[in-house]
């Protein structure tokens, strides 16, 4: 037998043969793994079915036992109870049920009555508590209101005192200024007292400002002294009016009334006729300009003396009426 000769494989053939052998091995390995997984799944499923079958067998056994016990109970019932007994027992149960229902209704009505009485007493207590709370709240509110009113009154009094003090300061400042100005004028006249007959009347008139301002300021500070201070003020006011007329006569006629009439007669055309109370509808006729000037001056003197007389009298009357609390049917300040 002749020896066989082998042909050497090319590199591509060698590589393809190796790849095919490797694929065959991988396929075989996958088949083995798949078979192992299927075997494990089948074993798990078989074990689960076995457990379920065991549970079903135990349940069937329990049911058989229960059926047997129920059969024994039925057999005992058949042997001891008849239909008449069942009916009797049913009637008894019905009566017992009705009696129980009646008792339950009585208990329910009694419970409802107790609950209603408890609710009524509770509502009464609540009403009393609410009334007491309302009374207490109202008393507290009244107390608070009274406290607030007292506080408001005290605050208003404090503000009034502060405002009054400011008013006192302002009024006192102007009073002091007016007194200083009047004193300056009076000292100027005293330093140059060249015409005493005229300047004495000027000094009397200049005293009006200090007296009037001082009495007014004192009336503002002490209102209870207003009546007394008003007497002083109004008396001096009447005196100043008299002094002013005397001052005019002193300046125009050097104190001589006839000289004043003569001076007025020279300007009779600028004088208005005197007022007539009786026969005022008749026109007045004067014999001369001197007679008219004399009538005008006489009227000025009469009116002045009228003011000098009635001003103190009215002030005294007002003071007396205020002391006896008589306001002519009105109220103070109206």
């Amino acid at each position: 037998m002749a020896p066989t000769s082998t042909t050497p494989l090319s590199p591509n053939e060698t590589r393809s043969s190796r790849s095919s052998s490797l694929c065959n091995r991988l396929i075989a390995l996958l088949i083995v793994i798949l078979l192992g997984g299927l075997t494990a799944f089948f074993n798990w499923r078989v074990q689960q079915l076995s457990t379920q079958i065991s549970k079903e067998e135990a349940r069937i056994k329990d049911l058989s036992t229960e059926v047997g016990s129920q059969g024994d109970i039925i057999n005992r019932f058949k042997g001891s109870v008849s239909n008449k007994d069942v009916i009797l027992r049913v009637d008894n149960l019905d009566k017992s049920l009705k009696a129980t229902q009646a008792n339950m209704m009585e208990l329910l009505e009694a419970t409802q009555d107790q609950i209603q009485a408890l609710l009524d007493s509770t509502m009464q207590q609540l009403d009393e508590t609410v009334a007491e709370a309302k009374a207490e709240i109202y008393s507290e509110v009244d107390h608070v209101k009274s406290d607030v009113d007292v506080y408001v009154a005290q605050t208003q009094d404090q503000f009034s005192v502060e405002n009054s003090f400011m008013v006192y300061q302002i009024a006192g400042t102007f009073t002091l200024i007016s007194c200083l100005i009047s004193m300056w004028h009076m000292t100027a006249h005293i330093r140059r007292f060249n015409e005493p007959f005229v300047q004495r009347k000027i000094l009397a008139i200049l005293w009006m400002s200090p007296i009037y301002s001082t009495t007014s300021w004192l009336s503002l500070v002490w209102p209870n002294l207003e009546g007394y201070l008003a007497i002083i003020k109004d008396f001096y006011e009447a005196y100043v009016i008299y002094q002013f007329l005397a001052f005019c006569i002193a300046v125009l006629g050097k104190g001589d009334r006839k000289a004043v009439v003569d001076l007025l007669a020279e300007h009779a055309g600028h004088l208005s006729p005197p007022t007539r109370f009786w026969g005022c509808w008749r026109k007045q006729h004067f014999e001369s300009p001197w007679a008219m000037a004399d009538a005008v001056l006489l009227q000025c003197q009469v009116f002045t003396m009228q003011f000098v007389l009635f001003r103190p009298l009215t002030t005294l009357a007002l003071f007396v009426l205020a002391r006896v609390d008589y306001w002519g049917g009105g109220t103070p300040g109206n």
Side-chain angles (χ1 to χ4, degrees):
M1 184 173 177
T4 60
S5 59
T6 61
T7 306
L9 297 175
S10 63
N12 294 328
E13 292 176 352
T14 303
R15 190 181 298 110
S16 60
S17 62
R18 290 179 180 177
S19 298
S20 60
S21 62
L22 182 59
C23 289
N24 292 330
R25 290 177 182 177
L26 290 175
I27 291 170
L29 181 60
L30 290 174
I31 291 171
V32 171
I33 292 171
L34 182 61
L35 290 174
L38 290 173
T39 303
F41 174 74
F42 286 143
N43 290 330
W44 174 76
R45 187 62 179 166
V46 169
Q47 185 177 1
Q48 187 176 11
L49 290 174
S50 299
T51 304
Q52 187 174 3
I53 290 170
S54 299
K55 291 180 179 180
E56 293 294 331
E57 289 177 354
R59 186 176 179 185
I60 290 170
K61 185 176 179 180
D62 294 336
L63 291 174
S64 298
T65 303
E66 186 176 357
V67 168
S69 63
Q70 294 294 330
D72 294 338
I73 293 170
I74 291 171
N75 291 328
R76 286 198 304 271
F77 184 76
K78 286 180 179 181
S80 60
V81 181
S82 62
N83 291 333
K84 186 176 180 180
D85 294 334
V86 171
I87 293 172
L88 183 60
R89 289 186 178 182
V90 169
D91 292 336
N92 292 331
L93 289 174
D94 189 14
K95 292 178 181 179
S96 177
L97 179 61
K98 290 181 180 180
T100 304
Q101 288 180 350
N103 292 329
M104 290 295 293
M105 290 299 294
E106 293 178 356
L107 290 175
L108 181 60
E109 291 178 357
T111 304
Q112 287 180 351
D113 294 337
Q114 292 178 356
I115 292 172
Q116 187 65 36
L118 183 61
L119 285 175
D120 293 337
S121 63
T122 304
M123 289 297 296
Q124 185 177 0
Q125 291 178 358
L126 285 175
D127 293 338
E128 293 176 355
T129 305
V130 169
E132 292 176 357
K134 287 173 68 177
E136 185 176 359
I137 290 171
Y138 287 151
S139 64
E140 291 293 334
V141 170
D142 293 336
H143 183 66
V144 171
K145 287 177 65 178
S146 63
D147 291 341
V148 171
D149 292 338
V150 170
Y151 176 74
V152 169
Q154 291 177 354
T155 305
Q156 289 179 351
D157 292 339
Q158 185 177 1
F159 287 158
S160 178
V161 169
E162 293 178 357
N163 292 333
S164 299
F165 184 72
M166 185 181 297
V167 171
Y168 298 158
Q169 285 183 332
I170 296 173
T173 301
F174 283 105
T175 299
L176 182 61
I177 292 173
S178 64
C179 291
L180 291 176
I181 293 174
S182 298
M183 292 297 177
W184 181 77
H185 283 290
M186 286 188 286
T187 54
H189 279 284
I190 292 172
R191 285 196 303 267
R192 296 176 179 82
F193 209 60
N194 300 324
E195 296 184 12
F197 185 73
V198 177
Q199 288 178 305
R200 280 197 298 268
K201 297 171 176 56
I202 295 175
L203 291 175
I205 295 171
L206 289 175
W207 270 109
M208 182 62 193
S209 180
I211 293 175
Y212 206 95
S213 60
T214 303
T215 53
S216 299
W217 184 77
L218 292 175
S219 300
L220 183 65
V221 177
W222 291 287
N224 54 339
L225 300 178
E226 181 183 2
Y228 303 98
L229 296 172
I231 293 175
I232 299 173
K233 179 178 63 178
D234 293 339
F235 268 70
Y236 198 81
E237 182 182 2
Y239 175 70
V240 167
I241 295 298
Y242 171 76
Q243 286 293 330
F244 182 74
L245 180 62
F247 168 74
C248 292
I249 294 175
V251 171
L252 295 176
K254 302 298 181 179
D256 185 7
R257 184 180 184 279
K258 185 175 179 300
V260 176
V261 174
D262 292 337
L263 181 63
L264 292 176
E266 295 177 2
H267 305 280
H270 299 284
L271 297 177
S272 299
T275 304
R276 298 181 62 188
F277 295 101
W278 303 103
C280 58
W281 58 87
R282 292 186 304 174
K283 187 176 180 181
Q284 281 185 297
H285 297 282
F286 296 99
E287 297 177 356
S288 61
W290 194 93
M292 182 178 178
D294 183 66
V296 171
L297 182 58
L298 178 62
Q299 178 179 261
C300 292
Q301 290 175 325
V302 170
F303 284 174
T304 301
M305 295 309 297
Q306 177 186 357
F307 182 84
V308 170
L309 177 63
F310 282 102
R311 181 61 174 174
L313 291 178
T314 55
T315 303
L316 289 174
L318 182 61
F319 175 76
V320 173
L321 293 175
R323 296 294 292 179
V324 298
D325 198 19
Y326 177 76
W327 303 97
T331 55
N334 294 329

